[in-house]
Amino acid sequence: MALKTLSDDMSSSSLENAVWSPRSPAERILMALKMHGALSAAALGKSLGTTSEAARQQLQRLADDGLVEAHSAASGVGRPTQLWSLASAAQARFPDTHAALTVQLLDIVRDHLGQDVLDTIIAARETDTRSAYEAAVGSATDLKSRVAALADLRSQEGYMAAWTEQPDGSMLLVENHCPICAAATACQGFCRAELEVFRSVLGPEVEVERQEHIVSGGRRCTYSIRSIDHAAR
């Protein structure tokens, strides 16, 4: 079952909604940090239905393994709050589609056949993806429904996607994971093509702008989506 909206609700049941379903306490902590960013041990304990001390013990084990890291954040009067976030090494714990082989094949195509051939391959993938997405989203009758359908489709593909309506009436599509991150890092034409697919599928009357980008060092990829009429106001 794909995530439909972003929410402050981090109950254990909501964490199980992702395509990758964590089972052990350590895996569930990694999932919570992946989905929600930096959290305190108390917040993690509450979301996982355990005590802050139990969460802290799990976090320390994960830190010893190099998977999470802590930093202090001011929280008004009193002692700073210790927040935990994923370390770079933790990304390997999440779904990846044969990353090393994919990067190797991309390098072979570029080195032996040329950049033009690689661009042709990316364009063909873009065309196929657009056709599949248009078929999946085509029955949606309004922009919110199209964004919801797109988020659901992306979650099924491993992007841990969700969306929410913003106070200004725009929508924010969030992808907490990139299952093709290695390929996208090796060839950012994939990212460009996906953005163009989003724009095409959501329609010519819609403006789509990427705000955060995993490949550029962001924790997640985010896309601001609004109707052009609304954007012009």
Side-chain angles (χ1 to χ4, degrees):
M1 179 178 179
L3 300 176
K4 301 298 183 183
T5 61
L6 289 176
S7 170
D8 290 332
D9 176 15
M10 297 190 303
S11 66
S12 59
S13 61
S14 71
L15 295 179
E16 297 296 332
N17 283 338
V19 174
W20 177 65
S21 184
R23 297 302 177 192
S24 72
E27 287 177 340
R28 295 173 72 204
I29 284 176
L30 292 177
M31 172 66 93
L33 294 176
K34 183 72 169 173
M35 296 295 289
H36 301 284
L39 297 170
S40 68
L44 281 164
K46 182 178 179 181
S47 72
L48 300 177
T50 186
T51 65
S52 59
E53 182 57 30
R56 191 174 292 107
Q57 291 175 6
Q58 290 290 338
L59 286 163
Q60 190 56 59
R61 293 188 188 100
L62 290 168
D64 291 341
D65 291 336
L67 298 177
V68 300
E69 51 196 20
H71 68 276
S72 295
S75 55
V77 179
R79 304 169 71 180
T81 300
Q82 187 177 51
L83 298 179
W84 295 84
S85 58
L86 294 179
S88 298
Q91 302 302 327
R93 293 297 189 95
F94 296 91
D96 199 351
T97 54
H98 309 295
L101 175 60
T102 301
V103 171
Q104 182 184 26
L105 290 173
L106 290 173
D107 288 342
I108 289 172
V109 170
R110 183 187 289 113
D111 294 343
H112 293 273
L113 300 177
Q115 184 64 43
D116 288 346
V117 172
L118 182 57
D119 290 342
T120 299
I121 292 171
I122 293 172
R125 178 181 184 271
E126 179 180 347
T127 298
D128 291 347
T129 301
R130 181 185 296 110
S131 296
Y133 283 20
E134 286 175 347
V137 176
S139 60
T141 57
D142 55 56
L143 181 56
K144 289 182 184 179
S145 299
R146 294 202 298 275
V147 172
L150 179 60
D152 184 72
L153 186 61
R154 297 291 281 181
S155 280
Q156 292 177 38
E157 294 179 354
Y159 289 86
M160 299 182 185
W163 71 279
T164 186
E165 187 170 6
Q166 300 297 288
D168 65 357
S170 66
M171 278 154 281
L172 186 70
L173 174 66
V174 175
E175 296 182 341
N176 290 288
H177 181 60
C178 178
I180 65 163
C181 189
T185 300
C187 180
Q188 293 197 25
F190 288 108
C191 296
R192 175 201 56 76
E194 287 189 339
L195 180 58
E196 291 306 314
V197 167
F198 290 175
R199 289 170 173 163
S200 176
V201 168
L202 293 176
E205 74 285 0
V206 177
E207 179 181 272
V208 182
E209 296 295 334
R210 182 188 287 120
Q211 296 182 327
E212 297 178 73
H213 194 198
I214 291 174
V215 169
S216 299
R219 178 178 70 83
R220 59 190 186 173
C221 289
T222 62
Y223 301 86
S224 175
I225 300 169
R226 66 185 70 222
S227 67
I228 291 176
D229 288 343
H230 179 83
R233 293 174 188 170

